[in-house]
Structures are given as C-alpha cells and as structure tokens.
Amino acid sequence: MHFIEYKMGKVTHKKLKKAKKLPKSELKMQKTTSKEVVKNSIVESSTPEDQPKKDKWINKQRVLVFSSRGISHRYRHLMTDIKAMLPHAKAESKMDKKDEKRVINEICEMKNCNKCLFFEPRRDSLYLWMSNVPDGPTGYFLVESVHTMQELKMTGNSLKGSRPLLSFDTNFTLPHLQLFKELLTQVFGTPKLHPKSQPFVDHVMTFSWLDQRIWFRNYQIVQETGALAEIGPRFVLNPVKVFAGSFQGEKLWENPHFVSPTSRRRLLKMSLAHKYIHRKDQQQSYLARKPGKDETVKVDVTDDVLLTSHGDDSGAEEAEAPPRPALVNRRRHGKKRKR
C-alpha cells in the first residue's frame, strides 16, 4: 500500500479513499488484515513460557468485627485494636441488645463474611462470640484481663496489614481445644495474597492454654535469631460453651470450671456478710463469758467462806450518811432590789 503525502500534514481516510478510489469492500479487508497482523505479533512475542505465573487469592476469609450497644471505652479500644491487626476484617454499626443473635447471620451474609467476632457487654464484663458463619460451630468466651495498645505503650511495632505467624501451645490436644485452635487459626490468620495485606511476616500471635484459659499475646520479630518485642493488645479468653450452629444450635461442650462474674460478686458479698456475722458471734460469746451475767457461769462456793457480814456484829455501828443541807429560798430571805 502506497501512502500519499501532502504538504499540510498526514493523509486522512477520506483523502486516501479519493486518491486511490478503492471500493468499500477492499478498504474493510485492508483494515481487518492489519489488525490481525498486530494481534498475531503480540501473541507470538508473549508466549506462556515467558509470562510469569500469577498466584491467585484462594483462601477468601472475611471476618466481621462489631459489638452491641452499651460497650465501654476500654472494650471499644480493644475492638479497634483487633480490627487494626486483621486486614481481612470488616466493620459494622452496633447492634441493638433486643435483637436476637440469629440476625448476625444475615448481617454477615450481607457483608459477604464467613467469620464473625461479636462483642457483647454485660454490666462490667465483656463476652465474645466467635462463629463460623453460617454452619457453625460457635465459641462463647468471657474476656478477662484486657490491656489495649494505648494502655500498654510497648516498644514493639509492626507493619499494618502484614501477615502474622500463629503460635499455639502444646496443650491444645483435647477435642474442644482443637476446635478452638481451628477457629482461632481461621479468624486471626491473614489469607495469602489478600488485597489489603502486605507480603511480609514481621510479628507473631501466641495462644497459650493455662489455668483453663486462652492467653493472647502479640510480639514483633526484632531479629532473625528470635528476639521479640511485645506490641499489644493483651487479653484472656475464658471459654464458656460451644454451640453446634452459628449463634444457635445444640450445646456441644460446657466448661465445668467456669464461674460467672455475677456468682463471683455474690460470693464476695457473702464472704463480707460472714465477717459481720462472725464479729457479732464473738461479741455475744464475750458477754456470755462475763461472771454474774449468766447463771451458766460456774462459781466456786468456797470463795465466800472467809467473808464476814456486817449484820452479825452487835458492837459495830453502821455509818450514817451526812445530813442533807437545807435549801434556802432566795426569793423570801434575799435582799430586796432597790427601785
């Protein structure tokens, strides 16, 4: 194909058509052939052997983290710290206390989440629901010994969105502990190639089973030798129950060592009441031990043998009391006032 040059610039499609006077069919054939040549050249240059293989995001775990109304500032800061640690977490507005727990499954479905961390405050305590939506199971915990990042002010630090190493104690061998281990792994483990995650591993999350509780700590990997620096937050999970479904279903396991905060407060008040009762009993026993106050006190009969009574001695004179001085009426015998 020969190009015609003009002094004013490039040749337009209309000028080329007029210059050569080609029919429309031939012009369309020329356009299609030129496009096919370009495509074939691109395909030949980029063979599958030369192209790098791109990994796909397969483990699509999304965790919904939210709470009900009435949560305190300390527990709210703990919830924000957990959201900052999990790049695959999603937020939601607070749920009303009157709503049933089954509504959470619908909220997770709307948010496209398959895991849920729901914080439920009750009086001065905090409970955590950890669920696998929508089939279950669900773990129900009491959160104790809460210390947030702002409160601790530790020296450790990590990149936001980086993937953590999950370290579990060797005591996670019982069936319910293995279930807790799998739940914690799926919730706190950041999926590989998540869009909001970073391709770095610079901190460790540890879960230890001690005193019938799960202790959580978050450390920064300072050196490759294994030196660690704590970041925060800190909290302890006291397991209460395990349910078969998501926020419902049959009870699979219950902690026999669990004592609720309400019963603990009741026992404390009873112990204080026992102190008061014991003190009153001591006072009554002291009054009972006083001689002459009660007939039950044993008195020795020979104690009054050497005592002599004054009524038997005829020569003894009884001491009389001194006479009482007469009162003087000051109105009658007093001096008259001068007018």
Side-chain angles (χ1 to χ4, degrees), residues 250-310:
E250 185 184 356
K251 183 174 64 177
L252 299 178
W253 176 81
E254 186 175 4
N255 189 3
H257 307 285
F258 176 72
V259 180
S260 64
T262 306
S263 59
R264 199 176 300 164
R265 284 191 292 267
R266 183 172 57 84
L267 292 173
L268 180 61
K269 288 181 180 179
M270 287 177 63
S271 65
L272 296 175
H274 287 321
K275 285 184 180 179
Y276 175 77
I277 294 169
H278 182 63
R279 187 169 69 249
K280 288 297 180 183
D281 290 342
Q282 284 183 342
Q283 291 178 1
Q284 293 295 331
S285 63
Y286 173 72
L287 293 174
R289 281 186 275 108
K290 271 189 173 182
K293 294 290 182 181
D294 195 356
E295 296 179 355
T296 58
V297 178
K298 294 182 179 180
V299 180
D300 193 359
V301 184
T302 59
D303 289 344
D304 300 334
V305 172
L306 300 177
L307 294 178
T308 58
S309 59
H310 295 287

Side-chain angles (χ1 to χ4, degrees), residues 194-236:
H194 190 274
K196 292 184 179 180
S197 66
Q198 300 291 338
F200 305 105
V201 178
D202 58 353
H203 64 288
V204 184
M205 294 182 185
T206 62
F207 300 92
S208 304
W209 177 257
L210 180 66
D211 195 17
Q212 304 296 325
R213 291 169 176 82
I214 299 173
W215 300 70
F216 174 83
R217 294 291 184 271
N218 186 21
Y219 297 99
Q220 177 196 359
I221 303 174
V222 182
Q223 296 177 358
E224 295 181 358
T225 56
L228 301 175
E230 189 172 357
I231 304 171
R234 292 179 180 178
F235 58 89
V236 179

Side-chain angles (χ1 to χ4, degrees), residues 147-155 230-234:
H147 299 282
T148 59
M149 289 185 185
Q150 296 179 356
E151 183 183 353
L152 292 172
K153 294 182 180 179
M154 293 292 186
T155 57
E230 189 172 357
I231 304 171
R234 292 179 180 178

